[in-house]
Amino acid sequence: MEPQIPPEEPQEPQEPQEPVEPVAPAEPAEPAEPSPEESTEASRHISLKVMSQDGSEVHFKIKPTTPMKKLMGAYCARASVSAASMRFLYDGTRLKEDATAQDMGIEDGDIIDAMLNQTGGMQGWD
């Protein structure tokens, strides 16, 4: 047995439509890529190398405006050491947690030294 197809209903003739002009797509709220004028130093990333006393290296990419506290914390987590037991130096100057790479003059490819904090010392070499 074949399925039955209902008969088509007659359609009313449609009036001819006026041609529609293409509409330009709406511009996005923010451009996908910033123009060269809008591109700032803060939007690019810099590559840094953190070198420990034993010579091992850990590479990081950060924005120049990122506080050093984030880099220090990430390094300590990877090295499984307490942040309180580490000191970080750039060109012999100790990094402050709230300083940024921009503040310290740190540039792409620079090296930061990670040192274990040493307290006290030997007394009485008599």
Side-chain angles (χ1 to χ4, degrees), residues 7-124:
E8 290 186 20
E9 295 181 19
Q11 294 182 356
E12 295 180 19
Q14 295 181 353
E15 294 180 19
Q17 296 182 354
E18 293 180 22
V20 178
E21 292 182 30
V23 177
E27 291 190 27
E30 289 186 32
E33 294 181 26
S35 66
E37 302 88 39
E38 294 171 347
S39 179
T40 63
E41 291 268 328
S43 65
R44 67 177 179 86
H45 287 81
I46 58 173
S47 297
L48 300 176
K49 193 183 334 181
V50 179
M51 187 175 288
S52 70
Q53 289 171 302
D54 65 4
S56 63
E57 301 175 351
V58 180
H59 296 266
F60 290 95
K61 276 193 174 190
I62 63 169
K63 289 183 180 180
T65 56
T66 301
M68 287 289 115
K69 183 177 183 175
K70 283 184 131 179
L71 178 122
M72 295 174 188
Y75 177 83
C76 291
R78 272 197 197 167
S80 300
V81 295
S82 165
S85 67
M86 296 297 296
R87 298 295 176 251
F88 296 87
L89 306 170
Y90 173 69
D91 283 345
T93 303
R94 187 169 169 187
L95 297 181
K96 296 179 181 175
E97 290 184 343
D98 60 344
T100 65
Q102 202 170 36
D103 296 340
M104 299 291 297
I106 299 172
E107 298 175 351
D108 191 46
D110 283 347
I111 298 172
I112 294 174
D113 297 309
M115 306 285 174
L116 277 171
N117 187 34
Q118 295 181 338
T119 56
M122 186 172 229
Q123 293 182 359

